[in-house]
Amino acid sequence: MSLRNYLSSKVFFKQLAIAIGIVLGICFLLLQWISFTTNHGEEITVPNISKLTVEQAEEKLDAADLDYVLLDTTDFNPDYPKFTVVKQDPLAGDKVKKGRKIYIKINSSGFTAVRIPNLVEQTLRQAEPSLKSVGLELGEVTYKPYIGKDMVLKMLQNGKELKPGDKVMKASKIDLLVGDGKVGYDEAIDSTETK
């Protein structure tokens, strides 16, 4: 029998139909197995564990058949109690499978200490972003007669003068004494000579 006759015979079409049936059957069984092993259609809503302690969050996640992984503590956030959950991933309300790990971050016990950058002889415009970059806030700005307009002369906290490198708590307000630019050159020389 030639190849052309075989390809047009009933035997060939019968074997082709059997092969297609086997492939379709294997695909169907494979899809059923995947659906069964991945718990397709069975989802759990992630509970809100924000502002809960680790122990409370663990109990709530266990009740929902979820696991958790404690990533680390974050910088202190005054909007959250100490040692409570600040962030969670996936977020509350998301749909996940049973046994999914929820990644959580905990609020630290307080602000950390940061070093004061050297702001003396910088302009007010330069000083403010420098303070923010280390987590500090600009407090009261007081002007003093000085030739350099908006030039930082002193850094203060609660009336105490700060030196570059001094440590203060993060999120503290730093007051600045700056020049008003209203003193002429001759007057500035006279005032420095009388000091």
Side-chain angles (χ1 to χ4, degrees), residues 170-184:
K170 196 170 189 175
S172 296
K173 290 191 176 185
I174 305 300
D175 301 328
L176 299 178
L177 179 66
V178 298
D180 62 4
K182 293 183 180 173
V183 174

Side-chain angles (χ1 to χ4, degrees), residues 7-18:
L7 292 178
S8 60
S9 69
K10 288 183 181 181
V11 173
F12 172 74
F13 287 110
K14 185 178 177 182
Q15 289 177 349
L16 183 63
I18 292 170

